[in-house]
Amino acid sequence: MPHRPVNTSSRLAEVRYEIRGTLSHRARDLEAEGREIIRLNIGNPGAFGFETPAHVRDAVMRSLPRSEAYCQQQGLPQAREAIADQQRSRGSATVNADRVFIGNGVSELIDLSLRALLEPGDEVLIPAPDYPLWTAATLLNGGRAVHYPCPAQRAHLPDIDEMAALITPRTRAIVLINPNNPTGANYPRELLEGIVELARRHRLVLLADEIYDGILFDDVAFQPLAVLAGNLPCISFGGLSKVHRACGYRVGWFSVSGSEPRLRELLHAFDLLAALRLCGNVPGQWAIEAALQGQDTIKALTNPGGRLHESRRAVLDAVARSEFLDVVAPSGAMYAFPGVRQGAVPLFDDQAFALHLLESESVLIVPGTSFNIDYRNHFRITLLPQAEIVSDVFMRIERALMRTAEGALLSRHVA
Ligand SMILES: Cc1ncc(COP(=O)(O)O)c(C=O)c1O
């Protein structure tokens, strides 16, 4: 009798995470055949030679013998105190250690927070482009992702009126990613105030993904959303993966700010869901206090002469030289999101181009449509490789764009 395939949940039907999807699998096959692929698809500092700062690593090594039991479901008390201190020192007065939840990366907590919040059919406003886990986790938890546009023409910033027009009686929450992945936008204070006002008017929960809060270029300032939100319910996400280059430790957290009566039920739901998975990875949590209270190590990378600064410069220089590309200079995070200029490559398709680039030039990028946008002329690369590699990559991209443009013209001619 033929074996019937095992069915999977229909909830997965619309769920996508192409950063590690089909193209990445194709790259793995090419590597198995002996090809060397330049993988620029993941913001994974450790894979590009960045190291977790020694004082952060030492804190984990020293504490390993104390890491063998489950800890309290919200996380180690000292670590939660350190996170609450950071939030209060920024001006977020209502945060204390009881309102901090530590998990296995922000990834786990994005899912947990949406699971606690959403009823079937509830709508969540999410930026487009987004970090696609936000859309995926909304769908997996029965919600509807409603995308608010952040196009390149507006320096990848949202427009308050456009956001307001998307709000319905079913809207529950607004997600903000600031500094932004994939665009590198850093939201100005007035814009954030406008978003807070929308949340106030429509009684929405603010979900602020601030995992890149310390990665900023050219002296721009990061504005934590919770400080502006004051007594409104705001959940602020942070972690060790990016600013402290410790992706593999799997340590992230959120803190909950706002006035107590509105939050009681939500905090209880977070506590229940956190307890169901027992606790976050304990060894990694010892790194939190050291990371947040130890010396700053990120500015040396983002200031002129630092690796991230110079790689970003290499992207901007390469795009300035390109016949085909434009880019909004990233103000923060560790990515650039270039676009092919209108009409520069007839019939350009980001997915087809990414595959062509991989096959012909051994470079793996992420097509823009993977970030839930409906236009097809962008792609994302990470700023993590050395500047020389970035320059080499953009030479390969330019060659591939040239071939794509010539191919399109030729086929038009033949037709
Ligand atoms: C915007 C954003 N949020 C959350 C995450 C998840 O990070 P982690 O699970 O490593 O804390 C990432 C990872 O790239 C990200 O870019």
Side-chain angles (χ1 to χ4, degrees):
M1 227 177 55
H3 293 295
R4 275 221 248 122
V6 178
N7 292 334
T8 55
S9 164
S10 58
R11 281 193 305 270
L12 287 170
E14 305 283 312
V15 173
R16 301 185 308 146
Y17 191 76
E18 290 172 10
I19 296 170
R20 292 179 184 237
T22 319
L23 282 166
S24 175
H25 293 137
R26 177 65 188 143
R28 199 177 52 197
D29 292 345
L30 290 171
E31 283 165 343
E33 289 166 16
R35 278 264 286 277
E36 198 177 315
I37 304 295
I38 306 178
R39 287 177 165 269
L40 302 179
N41 58 324
I42 305 182
N44 186 6
F48 293 87
F50 289 92
E51 292 184 349
T52 304
H55 66 280
V56 177
R57 186 188 284 165
D58 289 347
V60 176
M61 294 203 302
R62 269 200 317 276
S63 305
L64 204 56
R66 292 189 288 165
S67 304
E68 289 162 10
Y70 293 130
C71 70
Q72 203 264 347
Q73 61 254 32
Q74 285 186 239
L76 291 173
Q78 306 87 309
R80 286 188 285 119
E81 288 292 351
I83 294 161
D85 280 350
Q86 185 201 44
Q87 291 296 319
R88 280 194 303 266
S89 72
R90 289 173 171 182
S92 193
T94 57
V95 175
N96 59 40
D98 291 340
R99 287 177 169 213
V100 173
F101 291 77
I102 300 172
N104 298 313
V106 168
S107 303
E108 181 189 46
L109 298 172
I110 288 174
D111 183 57
L112 186 149
S113 59
L114 291 168
R115 193 179 305 194
L117 270 176
L118 298 182
E119 291 282 8
D122 278 354
E123 294 172 6
V124 181
L125 290 190
I126 298 176
D130 69 345
Y131 176 61
L133 175 58
W134 279 105
T135 295
T138 297
L139 297 173
L140 278 170
N141 288 296
R144 224 170 72 72
V146 176
H147 293 107
Y148 60 87
C150 303
Q153 302 86 293
R154 235 172 20 222
H156 294 299
L157 297 176
D159 176 83
I160 299 290
D161 293 335
E162 282 179 10
M163 291 177 81
L166 296 171
I167 294 173
T168 75
R170 293 307 309 264
T171 310
R172 289 295 315 285
I174 302 179
V175 173
L176 252 96
I177 304 170
N178 183 42
N180 189 271
N181 174 11
T183 65
N186 178 54
Y187 292 5
R189 185 184 170 113
E190 312 78 69
L191 178 65
L192 294 171
E193 282 169 346
I195 293 172
V196 166
E197 193 40 44
L198 277 187
R200 187 185 315 279
R201 217 179 312 139
H202 298 276
R203 299 180 69 80
L204 307 176
V205 176
L206 291 162
L207 300 167
D209 183 341
E210 298 176 342
I211 192 168
Y212 297 101
D213 60 0
I215 307 184
L216 298 158
F217 302 105
D218 290 348
D219 297 326
V220 299
F222 163 70
Q223 171 62 58
L225 188 67
V227 178
L228 303 177
N231 282 333
L232 296 186
C234 179
I235 306 170
S236 304
F237 298 78
L240 297 183
S241 290
K242 313 295 178 172
V243 179
H244 304 280
R245 286 91 70 203
C247 288
Y249 289 10
R250 308 308 300 126
V251 175
W253 55 81
F254 66 68
S255 57
V256 185
S257 56
S259 70
E260 182 68 29
R262 281 185 75 183
L263 291 172
R264 212 163 288 143
E265 207 180 313
L266 184 62
L267 287 167
H268 177 72
F270 288 156
D271 189 63
L272 174 63
L273 292 175
L276 284 174
R277 58 71 157 121
L278 304 180
C279 68
N281 156 42
V282 176
Q285 292 185 47
W286 295 108
I288 294 174
E289 193 179 358
L292 299 188
Q293 296 178 355
Q295 86 237 35
D296 173 276
T297 56
I298 191 71
K299 288 203 184 72
L301 299 172
T302 55
N303 283 344
R307 241 184 90 170
L308 290 173
H309 185 277
E310 295 314 303
S311 296
R312 171 179 174 270
R313 166 73 24 228
V315 170
L316 298 181
D317 289 349
V319 172
R321 282 193 302 270
S322 168
E323 245 182 81
F324 307 100
L325 296 172
D326 272 333
V327 72
V328 178
S331 299
M334 45 175 69
Y335 313 92
F337 199 58
V340 173
R341 279 200 293 275
Q342 192 79 32
V345 183
L347 303 176
F348 182 85
D349 177 275
D350 59 347
Q351 300 275 348
F353 177 71
L355 182 61
H356 171 62
L357 186 69
L358 176 62
E359 301 285 350
S360 65
E361 299 284 354
S362 305
V363 173
L364 177 60
I365 55 168
V366 189
T369 45
S370 310
F371 304 93
N372 293 300
I373 52 175
D374 55 12
Y375 39 95
R376 306 186 71 90
N377 64 326
H378 282 73
F379 58 88
R380 186 191 79 170
I381 66 159
T382 143
L383 304 178
L384 289 168
Q386 312 257 17
E388 307 82 76
I389 298 178
V390 170
S391 304
D392 173 48
V393 160
F394 271 89
M395 267 159 42
R396 299 178 193 220
I397 290 174
E398 197 72 7
R399 278 200 302 257
L401 284 168
M402 190 86 74
R403 280 194 301 274
T404 310
E406 282 168 3
L409 287 177
L410 204 63
S411 64
R412 207 186 252 180
H413 195 65
V414 171

